[in-house]
Amino acid sequence: VSWRKVVPRERGRILLRIAEALQARAEEMARTIALETGNALRTQARGEANLTADIFRYFGGLASELKGETVPLGEHVLSYTRREPLGVVGAIIPWNAPVMLGALKIAPALCAGNTMVMKAAEDAPLGVLLMAEICQEFLPPGVLNVLTGFGQECGGPLADHPGIAKLSFTGSTEVGKVIMRAAAERIVPVSLELGGKSPSIVYPDADEDWAVDGIIAAMRFTRQSQSCTAGSRLFLHEDVFDSFLGKLEKKTTALKIGNPLDEASDIGTIINNKQFTKVCKYVDEGLKRADAKLAEVKGDDEQVALRCVNRACPAQVKAQLHYFARRFAMDIENLGESLVEQLVDRGLTRPRAVLAMIVAQTVLTALGVLVAHLAPVAGLSVAVLSAGILTALVGRGGFLTPAKESS
């Protein structure tokens, strides 16, 4: 019997059994999510695993409610509507919350009697494959199918396939336009969940801790802000600007960044180097804006959290000076030993090379402090400046004279 002909309440029972199986393996699922996405186990991955089971549970109960309507057109006319499955649904999901987003496509489609072909994100397919494996224990063959691969070789052909009766996509606006064009070409229904800007506005009567907690949740701090619904901007009324920002600073400073599998971690890791580089670029662009001021620097040498707000104040300038000084000192320390080795390679004795390195560190540190004072909010990278000066000293010889070779 084809899936569409299975009685709706029986389809619901199957979804309920899937929900219980997912719940029984929730911890395994949570650790898989944390490992492949970088989302912290305690604050994100475990919640996603439990929510996935709840999604199947919800649609399992909803299956019996698939009903049409009777339209009263008159005593001698019987008019009614009937809800029927579309057929094969093609679904494409992103990597930031892959299992939850996958469940939000699989469960309703199967509940309505459709079958599905889903493309998992190439950066995070393991959790989706585990979910599909659990579903296969209860579903007839061919009802749920999962593909892995890149967009051009996998997502594109799926969107263009003539056997797909509906498209459902969650991801970027750019790719969403491509999916919409593919749907329009064949005139099939399409559902799109795309990214966007999501500002939060705080008025004077909301200068409370609960509002701060809401902002932290809305900005998805504990998901590294890797969410299509993450608040990208925060507008504060001037009457509560400083007080609200102080509360927000206190709470965000308490968040711990660390290993996603560590129960103590509030914030995990960026999913891959591509995204990490993109985030760093956003930070650099923000610091270079004339209207953006560095407001806070917190963390150790390996974890530095930066917060930019559109208001200048002495505390911000002090924070930026502190940031430049720390970054400069770290850069000098890291490059010092390299400088010594290069000078030795050029023929300078090691004691003289060490002495030259100490002199260079002292001079450049003083220069770094001076530059930071002259341009505290210009976003000048002192690390780049120091690297350039050190390279010039080594490459051109500068004021350092190599030892003469003996004949």
Side-chain angles (χ1 to χ4, degrees), residues 134-145:
I134 294 172
C135 290
Q136 297 294 0
E137 298 176 13
F138 306 94
L139 295 172
V143 173
L144 175 61
N145 312 273

Side-chain angles (χ1 to χ4, degrees), residues 53-279:
D54 287 340
I55 291 169
F56 276 89
R57 193 173 289 117
Y58 172 82
F59 284 100
L62 191 64
S64 297
E65 301 301 319
L66 297 176
K67 303 169 183 176
E69 297 176 342
T70 301
V71 184
L73 296 180
E75 289 293 328
H76 305 290
V77 178
L78 175 62
S79 178
Y80 66 93
T81 62
R82 178 180 176 182
R83 296 185 178 275
E84 297 181 341
L86 290 169
V88 182
V89 177
I92 301 174
I93 57 174
W95 46 259
N96 56 337
V99 178
M100 179 191 70
L101 293 172
L104 284 171
K105 297 187 186 300
I106 295 171
L110 270 54
C111 171
N114 299 293
T115 57
M116 174 166 283
V117 179
M118 171 173 286
K119 178 200 171 298
E122 59 268 22
D123 291 304
L126 301 181
V128 176
L129 290 172
L130 177 57
M131 176 171 57
E133 176 186 316
I134 294 172
C135 290
Q136 297 294 0
E137 298 176 13
F138 306 94
L139 295 172
V143 173
L144 175 61
N145 312 273
V146 177
L147 306 175
T148 60
F150 293 93
Q152 288 187 335
E153 66 185 18
C154 190
L158 177 61
D160 295 330
H161 197 285
I164 299 297
K166 174 183 170 61
L167 288 170
S168 180
F169 172 81
T170 299
S172 69
T173 302
E174 180 181 357
V175 178
K177 293 177 182 179
V178 176
I179 299 298
M180 181 172 280
R181 284 194 291 269
E185 185 69 25
R186 296 188 293 108
I187 315 180
V188 297
V190 58
S191 298
L192 301 176
E193 181 189 355
L194 310 178
K197 295 296 182 182
S198 312
S200 297
I201 305 174
V202 180
Y203 286 94
D205 59 350
D207 188 17
E208 304 288 346
D209 286 339
W210 63 264
V212 176
D213 292 335
I215 293 298
I216 293 175
M219 287 188 162
R220 299 293 192 268
F221 273 83
T222 55
R223 204 196 287 176
Q224 303 80 257
S225 295
Q226 296 181 138
S227 171
C228 57
T229 60
S232 57
R233 291 170 292 169
L234 174 60
F235 297 110
L236 302 177
H237 193 282
E238 61 181 354
D239 291 348
V240 297
F241 189 94
D242 293 320
S243 59
F244 193 91
L245 211 56
K247 294 184 182 74
L248 184 61
E249 176 184 354
K250 182 178 179 181
K251 287 180 177 288
T252 54
T253 301
L255 296 175
K256 179 182 178 181
I257 304 174
N259 186 334
L261 296 176
D262 187 346
E263 292 285 352
S265 297
D266 297 297
I267 302 174
T269 61
I270 302 297
I271 188 167
N272 55 33
N273 187 63
K274 176 183 176 182
Q275 290 301 121
F276 176 77
T277 302
K278 183 184 292 187
V279 170

Side-chain angles (χ1 to χ4, degrees), residues 374-385:
L374 293 176
V377 294
L380 178 62
S381 174
V382 182
V384 174
L385 177 64

